[in-house]
Each structure stands twice: as structure tokens, then as C-alpha cells.
Amino acid sequence: MSGYSLSEISEWVCADKKLFGTVSEIVTDSRKITPGCLFIALEGEFFDGHCFITEALEKGAVAAVAHKKGAEPEEKTLYVGNTERALRALARLHRIKIDPVTVGITGSVGKTTTREMIAAVVRQRYTTLTTKDNLNNNIGMPQTLLELTPAHQAAVIEMGMTALGEIEELATTLLPQIGVITNIGVSHMERLGSQQNIRRAKLEIVQGLREGAPLLLNGDDPLLWGYENPALKVIFYGIENKDCQITAKDLIVLMGSTTFTICYQGEKYPAHIPCMGQHNVLNALAAFGVGVCMGMEPKEAAAALDKYQVTGWRQKITPFHGFTVVEDCYNAGPESMKAALTTLAGMPCAGRRIAVLADMLELGYLSEQAHRMTGQLAGRMHLDAVYAYGEMAQLMIEEAKNAGVPDTAWFPEKQALTDYVISQIQKGDILWVKGSHGMALETLIEAIYKQP
């Protein structure tokens, strides 16, 4: 965001006064101050940008935005009711001025993969901005929107949440022309209490959609199937549910890729994605649907799915020293655990299929049941081994052992698990590593790759 005057920014954020000058960019991190920028002092649980206003001004910020007074120069500070709301207001107005076609994605599982698949499709025709990493919350998403330039024709934006009301805030900032909800899972059950509340939170996306806008929903999810909204164009995609407008058939899962046929409006379109599993085909159907809604020919949208690239710690397949590691530890919940173990069971393997797991976090009262069911599923999938660490992961191992998995082991600490896994790996094995992000299983993967 550059070239805006301080006077118009003063009005946009409802500041206590009007300042003058030109803003080169918006900065919320005092370590990234550049001459001529506007510093917005955000306040969080573990930080307070207000402590750095004076420093930011000394480094060259033209002005600061604050919601409480301190020792900073008041003549260079715009005081507002809340700096986070001010950030969103600036992002919203910047998005309106640039006016790209905007796609908003939310859901319990698969948001980031769906986002990247949509971006891969849309980029084939439009210059596209997309969310980086996991910047999908009340601060990260507005920061992403502020990166829009007049060259951008589209923006594919992920929206995350931890509580009711947050998706509405993001959606009314983004004002998406197309909405996508991947599914209604049990992540954040600890805070929201029920899947109905999670559904309610995800459907807040409609508050930002204009009348007649497409809303793509996963029709295989019983909590989304049948949703009606006469103000929107609701489009369902699915695999099991053949009543959806967009469906897939003839799935063939190979090592690191999946081929399938998209069925849409009575026609069939061959498709390929460089990742595995039925759950990823669902994500691809959403991306296909967005492409068609944006004016792409169905054949063009289907072919563009092949351009998707797997991003960090999300089912990235890495051959190493004669065995294979599936890096899938960005996050975990019951739905994604099921998808992972099911896909692992169907992979061609010359050795053993081994699941290396850790706790699934933020499940609340469902935590014990979810971990036990994961262990039971490992048995039904006939996996050769399950190794795990974490307090709740002990329940996975208990159930996996009872369900007939021949080799199981639980460890209270990650280092012990790491040492054991390294000692057990053999040529031909497939090692699928999965756990919640807070369990940091990526360090286990890194330790494996350090082995001579």
C-alpha cells in the first residue's frame, strides 16, 4: 500500500485528528520500519507495539497509529479506538480501490491446500496475489491485502478463526466475490464446543459476499450439504455425493500423484494433481469450480490443476536413503488423520507402511475419542507400524495395538521417539509423519535427514 495521503488515512481510521504527508507503506513490526511508512501499533497477548512508537518515528516512520497514549510524540500519532480494527479498515479500503476478483477460503481442514490449488488454477489467466504461509487471521489477512498492487487482477485469500465472529470480520474486510468452505471438522472444538458452532463460524463468510456471488461447498460433508441461501449461487462439489454439481470419478492414486475425471454439466474433463488422496481431489474440485466461476473454460481449469505445488510440511514426499518420508506435520485433526492413514494404506510399498504420529490439539472433550479412533483406524488400514509421542497419543498406540498393528511404540518425549524411529527405518519403508503443529514433528524429520 503506497501513495496514500495521511489526510485520507486519518479519515479512514476515524482518527482524533488529521495529519498530512504521503505514506510509502503500512508497517506493524517496528523492526521493519522504512522511511515514509505508517507504523500501526498492534497490541497482543505477548507484545505491545505501543512500546515502540517513538523508536519507529525515530527510524523514519512518517506517523503512527495508536489506541492508547504513552510517551510518544502526539503530533505524529493518530489515536483511534482500536488499532487492529484500523488495520482492517485500511486493508478493506485498499482492496476496494484495487478491486481484484477476490476468493475467500475457509474450513476446518484443507484450507491452505485448497488455497494453493485455487491459486494454481487462477494464475493461468490472472495475475494473482495469495496468502503467504499461515497469515490467515485478523492481522495476517489484512497485511496480505495491503500487498495488493494495480497489477493484481485476482486475490486468493485464506481465512482462519478460533472463535465466533472472526470469519465475519475477515469476510467484511476481504469482500470476496467467490467463497469456498472446505468442510466442517472438529478443530477448535475446545473453544467452540460443538460442530454446529463451528459450522456457524465458517458460514460467517456469507456476510462478506455480495448478492448472487458463488459459494462453493463440500457436498460430501453432511454439515454443508443442503445449505440454502437464496441471496447466493450455492455450488456443491463432491466425490461420494453424486448429486453435487461438480463431481469426480475414476480416481487413481499413485506415488505422489492422483489422476481422476471431473464431471461437470454433463461433460468429463481429465485431471491430474501432484499429490495423493481422495481428500486432495476434493480440494481440486473446489479449485476447478472457482476457475469456472471466474470465466475459465472447464478444460482449461482442469488442466491447470497440474500446476499445483506441494508446500512445506503438507504431504511432501521425499525419497531418502532408500526409504520414503511423507512430510505431513503442518497440522492434524481427526479428519486429516483419517485421510493420511487411508492414503498411506493405499500407497505402493516395498517395505513397511509406518505412521509416526503425535497429539491432535484443541479438540476439547472429543480428544480422547478422536485419538482412540485414530489408533483403531490404523488397525483397519493394516498398517505395519505406528510410533507416537504425546500425552493423548498414548491412546492411539493402545488402540492400534489392540486393533492388530504388529509394531507399536509410544514415547512421552519427542527425542525418544526420534531416536527410535531412526533406529527402525529400513529400505523400502514409507514413513508418514503427522501431528498438530504445536507438537513440532518437523524436528524429527530434520533429524532423519541429518543421518549419513
Side-chain angles (χ1 to χ4, degrees):
M1 181 181 185
S2 62
Y4 286 99
S5 70
L6 267 175
S7 60
E8 62 182 335
I9 287 175
S10 302
E11 295 179 0
W12 289 349
V13 300
C14 300
D16 64 326
K17 56 180 170 291
K18 183 176 288 189
L19 296 180
F20 297 93
T22 302
V23 171
S24 60
E25 64 176 321
I26 304 292
V27 176
T28 60
D29 186 338
S30 62
R31 297 166 297 183
K32 299 179 180 179
I33 295 297
T34 58
C37 73
L38 175 68
F39 175 61
I40 299 183
L42 299 174
E43 183 177 12
E45 185 177 357
F46 303 108
F47 66 90
D48 189 351
H50 292 81
C51 300
F52 304 98
I53 292 177
T54 299
E55 177 187 340
L57 294 171
E58 290 174 349
K59 287 181 176 179
V62 67
V65 178
H67 61 232
K68 61 184 181 182
K69 293 186 177 182
E72 69 279 344
E74 293 188 15
E75 69 276 8
K76 289 188 174 182
T77 306
L78 296 169
Y79 294 101
V80 299
N82 180 275
T83 52
E84 189 179 299
R85 285 200 299 270
L87 176 66
R88 290 200 298 274
L90 291 176
R92 183 178 188 272
L93 288 160
H94 182 60
R95 172 256 177 275
I96 290 172
K97 281 201 170 188
I98 300 297
D99 197 27
V101 178
T102 49
V103 183
I105 304 106
T106 191
S108 296
V109 180
K111 292 187 297 295
T112 300
T113 300
T114 303
R115 177 196 82 201
E116 291 301 308
M117 285 190 180
I118 292 171
V121 171
V122 173
R123 281 196 185 104
Q124 300 309 298
R125 182 174 290 196
Y126 306 98
T127 302
T128 304
L129 174 73
T130 188
T131 304
K132 296 177 182 176
D133 301 321
N134 62 340
L135 297 177
N136 63 4
N137 61 13
N138 280 348
I139 295 173
M141 195 207 78
Q143 289 175 327
T144 300
L145 289 182
L146 290 171
E147 294 180 10
L148 283 166
T149 72
H152 287 117
Q153 300 167 301
V156 179
I157 304 297
E158 179 180 335
M159 298 184 291
M161 64 88 195
T162 59
L164 287 165
E166 292 182 353
I167 294 295
E168 181 175 356
E169 290 177 343
L170 295 176
T172 52
T173 299
L174 175 62
L175 301 175
Q177 280 114 318
I178 302 171
V180 178
I181 303 180
T182 61
N183 46 52
I184 307 298
V186 296
S187 300
H188 308 307
M189 184 72 79
E190 190 171 22
R191 295 194 181 197
L192 293 177
S194 71
Q195 278 191 291
Q196 288 300 325
N197 278 341
I198 295 171
R199 177 182 186 271
R200 177 183 164 194
K202 300 301 183 183
L203 282 168
E204 288 173 3
I205 192 174
V206 305
Q207 301 304 319
L209 292 168
R210 64 184 63 175
E211 185 172 357
L215 175 62
L216 286 88
L217 304 177
N218 178 357
D220 284 354
D221 189 321
L223 289 173
L224 290 174
W225 173 247
Y227 172 78
E228 296 180 353
N229 189 322
L232 302 174
K233 181 182 178 181
V234 180
I235 301 170
F236 291 100
Y237 61 91
I239 299 173
E240 304 295 339
N241 186 348
K242 300 305 181 185
D243 291 328
C244 295
Q245 291 98 317
I246 304 171
T247 62
K249 67 177 185 177
D250 302 331
L251 278 66
I252 300 175
V253 180
L254 304 171
M255 178 64 79
S257 68
T258 306
T259 61
F260 54 101
T261 300
I262 298 174
C263 303
Y264 174 67
Q265 293 187 342
E267 301 292 334
K268 299 175 182 178
Y269 303 95
H272 169 269
I273 50 176
C275 52
M276 299 179 297
Q278 179 170 310
H279 58 295
N280 279 320
V281 173
L282 279 171
N283 300 333
L285 293 180
F288 168 85
V290 168
V292 171
C293 288
M294 289 183 64
M296 298 176 69
E297 291 296 326
K299 182 179 180 180
E300 178 188 10
L305 291 168
D306 188 54
K307 304 295 184 182
Y308 165 72
Q309 294 182 345
V310 177
T311 56
W313 311 121
R314 293 180 178 89
Q315 294 189 17
K316 181 181 177 183
I317 299 174
T318 304
F320 185 77
H321 287 2
F323 57 89
T324 300
V325 179
V326 182
E327 305 169 6
D328 190 21
C329 53
Y330 179 78
N331 219 332
E335 301 87 358
S336 62
M337 276 288 191
K338 179 180 179 181
L341 299 186
T342 302
T343 305
L344 172 59
M347 293 174 68
C349 179
R352 298 170 299 161
R353 297 178 179 88
I354 303 171
V356 180
L357 309 177
D359 287 0
M360 298 177 282
L361 305 177
E362 297 185 17
L363 297 181
Y365 70 89
L366 284 178
S367 185
E368 178 177 347
Q369 178 187 1
H371 285 84
R372 289 191 180 279
M373 289 178 65
T374 298
Q376 294 165 9
L377 178 63
R380 293 200 301 275
M381 293 294 104
H382 305 290
L383 299 186
D384 299 293
V386 180
Y387 309 138
Y389 100 98
E391 180 181 356
M392 299 306 293
Q394 189 170 8
L395 302 176
M396 291 184 192
I397 296 302
E398 178 184 322
E399 295 294 339
K401 185 176 182 179
N402 291 339
V405 176
D407 184 7
T408 59
W410 174 80
F411 303 88
E413 297 178 353
K414 183 171 53 178
Q415 186 58 55
L417 170 66
T418 301
D419 294 341
Y420 186 77
V421 168
I422 290 173
S423 72
Q424 295 299 305
I425 304 172
Q426 301 173 16
K427 287 186 177 181
D429 290 347
I430 300 176
L431 204 68
W432 196 302
V433 184
K434 189 165 186 65
S436 281
H437 188 63
M439 303 302 288
L441 280 178
E442 63 270 17
T443 61
L444 179 149
I445 295 172
E446 291 164 353
I448 291 173
Y449 294 156
K450 290 178 181 178
Q451 298 306 301

